[in-house]
Amino acid sequence: MIFSFFLLFYLYKLKIELFKKNFIELLENHETSITSSKEFNQSLRLFQEKLESLKLLSKQNSKLLELFDISNDYFEDGIIFLDNKGIIQRFNRKIITFFDKEYFEIDSYKKITDLTSNIDFIDFFEKSKTKKINTINIQTNFPQKNFHLRSINLDEIIVVFIKDISDIISLDKTRREFFANTSHEIKTPVTSIKLNVQALKNSLKSDNKDDFLYFLEKIDLDADRLQKITEDIGQLHSLESGSIKLSPEELRIDEFMSGFLLNFETLLSSKRMKIKISKNNFKKIKIDSNLFFTLLENIISNSIRYSKEDSNIEIDMKKNKSLFSISIKDEGVGVSQIDLPHIFERFYRGDGLRSDQHNGLGLAIVKHIVDLHKGTIEASSEINEGLKIMINFPQ
């Protein structure tokens, strides 16, 4: 649509220029004296017809220029018009944004080198002078962005379309990383199950009951791990795709927390750990109870997994008229300052002590749940001093 409009615009412009050239030639051919009134009338009529045609074309050209100016702010793509010498004739506002320039300096941008010093851009524009159609993808570093460029050479005018494809490239990279990480996560327990099944067969042949029970338990643990991975992937996909709809309700926080903690009694007692809860004087919060349960389940599970025995997990809750705040702090191995900014990214594994025994999806799910509630989440930590996660939910 945009391309068709500008192609039409410059075809009209070229038509006018060609008409002007022919009209001048016509005048030059009639510099000789006119010998009769009939010849004079014929020449006058011809001139009038040419003038009317020129006026019509000029009017159409003016309307297209006016349409371009009105529509300038609405084009998603950057558009530059250059003459066949590479001098900029016109460009839209998006070009200013793409090249991080100031709009008040617009009159000073005459050449492509006035807009950018990027060698790839300059080389593309140079080659577009001799090619009818030219396309390329270019990556810039400061800031890091990806652009798709396409030029159409109309002899007198070169039209260049510039599209920011950074989001598309990023999405494709995320998709490829997701499949690679998912494959890796699933492959690990599947390989372990296959090895343990073989060991199980060997224990049957040797009639070793202890080995049989040992390998059977390992297979059961790997199956549980595989199930958790598939459940987490499914839930993360549902959150990212928007198929999970928020259903906030009035939740009695004391009753909810009592029921929630029952799910962790066995796991806590196995490591002689305790969860301590403190809160100010409030009874209800407005939240999606199912998603809030999932959020706490992922955070508390991580805290237990990475905490030493005989340690505590502290949950602090506060509420005012507009905000419900909850923080969860453990006494575990902690997270390094290098890894800390990335802990809410899916499949992220740092190099520290928390890098094993998890699939890297739990805190990514937590982050999406917070985002769905239009809340905020942040974390603080030091190695061997535990991890603290702080979340705010608007009320």
Side-chain angles (χ1 to χ4, degrees), residues 49-66:
E49 288 175 0
K50 294 292 185 181
L51 282 170
E52 288 301 319
S53 298
L54 184 59
K55 285 179 183 178
L56 179 61
L57 285 172
S58 296
K59 185 177 181 181
Q60 290 171 333
N61 184 50
S62 176
K63 289 293 183 184
L64 286 167
L65 277 170
E66 184 181 343

Side-chain angles (χ1 to χ4, degrees), residues 111-155:
K111 298 180 180 179
I112 190 61
T113 49
D114 295 330
L115 290 172
T116 179
S117 59
N118 185 285
I119 298 299
D120 293 329
F121 271 97
I122 295 169
D123 183 61
F124 173 83
F125 277 85
E126 193 63 32
K127 289 178 179 177
S128 296
K129 293 178 184 179
T130 55
K131 286 187 176 182
K132 283 292 182 184
I133 295 177
N134 193 17
T135 60
I136 194 174
N137 288 342
I138 293 176
Q139 182 180 36
T140 60
N141 294 320
F142 302 106
Q144 187 169 335
K145 285 191 172 185
N146 292 274
F147 295 100
H148 175 74
L149 281 70
R150 178 181 173 85
S151 68
I152 313 291
N153 192 324
L154 302 172
D155 295 331

Side-chain angles (χ1 to χ4, degrees), residues 83-310:
D83 63 19
N84 52 15
K85 294 180 180 178
I87 304 301
I88 296 174
Q89 302 297 308
R90 206 176 189 87
F91 55 84
N92 67 344
R93 291 179 187 272
K94 207 68 177 179
I95 292 297
I96 299 294
T97 305
F98 285 168
F99 292 110
D100 195 26
K101 296 294 182 179
E102 298 293 342
Y103 193 76
F104 65 83
E105 297 178 350
I106 189 170
D107 293 334
S108 65
Y109 308 135
K110 301 299 182 184
K111 298 180 180 179
I112 190 61
T113 49
D114 295 330
L115 290 172
T116 179
S117 59
N118 185 285
I119 298 299
D120 293 329
F121 271 97
I122 295 169
D123 183 61
F124 173 83
F125 277 85
E126 193 63 32
K127 289 178 179 177
S128 296
K129 293 178 184 179
T130 55
K131 286 187 176 182
K132 283 292 182 184
I133 295 177
N134 193 17
T135 60
I136 194 174
N137 288 342
I138 293 176
Q139 182 180 36
T140 60
N141 294 320
F142 302 106
Q144 187 169 335
K145 285 191 172 185
N146 292 274
F147 295 100
H148 175 74
L149 281 70
R150 178 181 173 85
S151 68
I152 313 291
N153 192 324
L154 302 172
D155 295 331
E156 296 292 330
I157 287 292
I158 302 167
V159 187
V160 181
F161 300 90
I162 303 178
K163 185 179 185 66
D164 187 344
I165 58 170
S166 302
D167 289 342
I168 298 172
I169 297 293
S170 177
L171 185 64
D172 183 62
K173 182 182 176 183
T174 301
R175 179 184 61 80
R176 284 186 279 108
E177 287 178 350
F178 177 79
F179 284 118
N181 287 324
T182 302
S183 175
H184 173 76
E185 290 296 333
I186 292 174
K187 184 180 179 181
T188 303
V190 167
T191 302
S192 180
I193 287 172
K194 289 177 70 175
L195 291 172
N196 286 318
V197 166
Q198 187 60 46
L200 196 68
K201 289 178 181 179
N202 293 334
S203 66
L204 279 173
K205 289 178 183 179
S206 61
D207 197 25
N208 189 327
K209 186 178 179 180
D210 290 338
D211 282 354
F212 180 85
L213 293 175
Y214 172 77
F215 289 118
L216 190 63
E217 185 179 354
K218 290 199 71 174
I219 290 170
D220 189 45
L221 290 172
D222 285 327
D224 287 342
R225 183 182 176 187
L226 189 59
Q227 183 180 5
K228 183 70 167 64
I229 291 169
T230 54
E231 287 174 352
D232 284 351
I233 290 172
Q235 186 165 44
L236 187 60
H237 171 72
S238 297
L239 286 164
E240 289 182 338
S241 64
S243 59
I244 291 182
K245 303 301 179 184
L246 198 64
S247 300
E249 58 181 295
E250 290 287 338
L251 188 68
R252 292 184 177 275
I253 191 64
D254 291 333
E255 293 177 12
F256 175 86
M257 292 304 295
S258 296
F260 171 79
L261 293 177
L262 289 174
N263 295 275
F264 290 92
E265 280 187 342
T266 303
L267 197 55
L268 287 166
S269 62
S270 69
K271 297 184 74 171
R272 298 187 299 279
M273 293 178 64
K274 292 181 180 179
I275 292 180
K276 297 181 178 181
I277 298 177
S278 61
K279 70 181 192 66
N280 62 0
N281 189 25
F282 69 95
K283 294 182 178 180
K284 296 179 181 179
I285 59 172
K286 191 172 184 179
I287 205 164
D288 186 308
S289 60
N290 291 326
L291 292 178
F292 187 49
F293 186 98
T294 301
L295 176 145
L296 288 177
E297 183 181 36
N298 278 291
I299 296 175
I300 297 300
S301 295
N302 274 355
S303 292
I304 295 173
R305 182 182 298 117
Y306 296 110
S307 290
K308 55 184 179 289
E309 293 183 350
D310 298 307

Side-chain angles (χ1 to χ4, degrees), residues 320-374:
N320 56 36
K321 289 183 178 180
S322 60
L323 206 65
F324 166 60
S325 302
I326 179 169
S327 68
I328 300 100
K329 185 182 185 309
D330 62 48
E331 298 172 359
V333 295
V335 178
S336 72
Q337 293 304 304
I338 295 174
D339 295 327
L340 192 60
H342 305 286
I343 63 170
F344 298 113
E345 297 173 11
R346 59 185 178 186
F347 293 116
Y348 184 79
R349 275 195 178 90
D351 296 325
L353 299 173
R354 295 174 68 105
S355 62
D356 60 350
Q357 299 179 351
H358 75 108
N359 58 40
L361 292 174
L363 291 181
I365 291 171
V366 168
K367 177 68 164 59
H368 277 287
I369 291 173
V370 174
D371 290 344
L372 197 59
H373 284 84
K374 300 189 185 306

Side-chain angles (χ1 to χ4, degrees), residues 16-26 28:
I16 289 171
E17 295 299 326
L18 183 61
F19 184 89
K20 285 179 180 178
K21 182 180 178 182
N22 292 337
F23 188 67
I24 291 170
E25 288 177 358
L26 179 68
E28 289 173 348

